[in-house]
Amino acid sequence: MPPVIRLYVKTSLAFFILTFATGSVFMMLNAVHGTRMSHDLILLHAHLGFVGWLGLMVMGVAWWMFPLMKDQHPETRGRYHLPTVYAVYYLIVGGLLLRAIGEPWFWRAGHPFARFLLIVSAVAQLAGVVGFAAGIWGRVRPIGESL
């Protein structure tokens, strides 16, 4: 497995642990103290799981396993344009981390800088998703087309 793909998968596994750990804490607080989790923490928990764990795992495996484009990207044996793969990773992870900081802060205090962090987070993650789709698009072939 190439190093950049290991980066995606290992980061995904870290978010997997973080997602289940926070979920366990939420359940224990509810069971022991009757504490209901706030809307912002539930949203953040969901994004850590869906974007951090599931999204990064799917993207990493897709970069690695989708059919090769042997005539392109000789540096990765036809898999992907390496700078694009790193850019997508940093946009998605950076955007998710900014969201993890900005979302609770914004919902609790409404601070203008927290709002700014959420906007930057959204733009970064959207750019990452568009970059992923653009980078993987050519590797999705019609049925019957030769590999």
Side-chain angles (χ1 to χ4, degrees), residues 47-63:
H47 278 93
L48 291 174
F50 286 119
V51 176
W53 169 52
L54 187 59
L56 286 174
M57 182 65 76
V58 167
M59 285 186 270
V61 170
W63 286 124

Side-chain angles (χ1 to χ4, degrees), residues 50-134:
F50 286 119
V51 176
W53 169 52
L54 187 59
L56 286 174
M57 182 65 76
V58 167
M59 285 186 270
V61 170
W63 286 124
W64 184 36
M65 300 295 292
F66 273 37
L68 303 178
M69 298 181 342
K70 293 184 181 184
D71 55 330
Q72 297 179 23
H73 315 303
E75 71 281 4
T76 60
R77 297 187 316 228
R79 290 196 192 283
Y80 39 72
H81 180 244
L82 196 55
T84 300
V85 176
Y86 276 110
V88 166
Y89 173 84
Y90 288 116
L91 286 165
I92 295 292
V93 173
L96 187 55
L97 293 176
L98 289 177
R99 182 181 190 127
I101 294 165
E103 191 159 47
W105 187 14
F106 176 74
W107 281 95
R108 285 175 169 66
H111 196 278
F113 189 70
R115 181 186 307 264
F116 173 75
L117 291 179
L118 289 177
I119 292 168
V120 172
S121 166
V123 170
Q125 288 185 320
L126 179 60
V129 167
V130 169
F132 172 75

Side-chain angles (χ1 to χ4, degrees), residues 7 29 36 41 45 51 83 85 87 89-90 129 143:
L7 181 64
L29 286 172
R36 290 256 187 234
L41 291 180
H45 174 73
V51 176
V85 176
Y89 173 84
Y90 288 116
V129 167
I143 296 175

Side-chain angles (χ1 to χ4, degrees), residues 1-2 7 9 17 22 26-27 39 66 89 94 97 133-134:
M1 183 181 293
L7 181 64
V9 172
I17 293 167
T22 56
F26 291 171
M27 284 192 319
H39 179 69
F66 273 37
Y89 173 84
L97 293 176

